[in-house]
Amino acid sequence: MSPRNIPFPRRVRAPAKLNLALDILGRREDGYHDLRMVMQTVSLCDTLTVERQAEGFTLQAEGPFLPKEGKTLEQRAAEAFFAALDRPLPGLRVTLDKTLPAYAGLGGGSSDVAALLRVLRNVYAPELDGDALERIGLEVGSDVPFCLRGGTALAEGRGERLTDLPPLPECGVVVCKPDFGLPTPALFARADAVSLHTRPDIDGMRSALEQGDLRGVADRLCNVFEEVLPEDRRAEVFAIKGRLIELGAMNAAMSGSGPAVFGLFRDFQEAERCAAVLHRDYRETFPARPVGKIH
């Protein structure tokens, strides 16, 4: 089908990612780190609307996550997509309705890029397979390949080597971000400078997923970044983890490089009740559900 025959605007969701487990294996010669993670998409999401315009690329959005200078991640993704097709960039306008907290460890920017790339593939190159789209996404960010795929997956390397895992059993999730951000490069530097002691049992988590054992997954939530947080930030992150557990979570952990924290609940109703209480102290608190593969 010709792109001209596909209706615009295209409105799509960009779901958050959580790190059920995150381990840092070491720093690489190229400056990246080798990671081993279990990642999960959840229903908390941004929304993108993609439309045509006469020429150029425009991103309409509000928030501190947009660069003051240079190209946005979305523009870089669009340019990489059409470069891979050996085609000129058409006129595109993207409107971004942000819900995901920025700089939170939830993959908000990567998920927005992934949502845009899915639209561009569906409209301009429906024959392009998922692996090819993930390779394009990796040019923009290490989390983009997973955000393109979604569901539950083991992520290795920079995060681009993905192995689909059995889905997280049905449950509720509460995501809570304290009122500060954490610089990812600084946390990696702190991790490089110490010997990490608490490592996630990723093989055990895989087995729990294979058995549909939510308790087994919850018992193995672990993020090595928690060990290297600055002391004042660590106190706040662990206070939120404690509150989540007091309010019924089976367990809680920080996602990515934080500072957002999430808890797993037996059902969505429990998560909603917890989120309503926690929202009184933390404005960016949201109930959510796990979601499956996107492509």
Side-chain angles (χ1 to χ4, degrees), residues 281-294:
D281 297 317
Y282 298 98
R283 177 177 54 87
E284 293 185 296
T285 301
F286 310 89
R289 307 174 189 266
V291 297
K293 285 188 67 175
I294 301 169

Side-chain angles (χ1 to χ4, degrees), residues 53-104:
Q53 63 181 13
E55 60 182 6
F57 184 95
T58 304
L59 177 66
Q60 297 178 333
E62 295 182 0
F65 50 88
L66 294 179
K68 293 183 174 63
E69 299 179 358
K71 298 177 181 179
T72 63
L73 292 176
E74 289 79 6
Q75 181 173 351
R76 289 170 51 199
E79 291 176 348
F81 177 84
F82 286 101
L85 299 183
D86 196 23
R87 294 173 58 179
L89 178 72
L92 294 170
R93 179 170 65 253
V94 178
T95 303
L96 178 56
D97 182 6
K98 286 293 291 184
T99 298
L100 300 183
Y103 309 119

Side-chain angles (χ1 to χ4, degrees), residues 240-259:
I240 295 173
K241 288 177 62 175
R243 289 287 303 281
L244 285 164
I245 293 169
E246 288 172 6
L247 292 167
M250 303 171 72
N251 201 358
M254 190 173 75
S255 182
S257 59

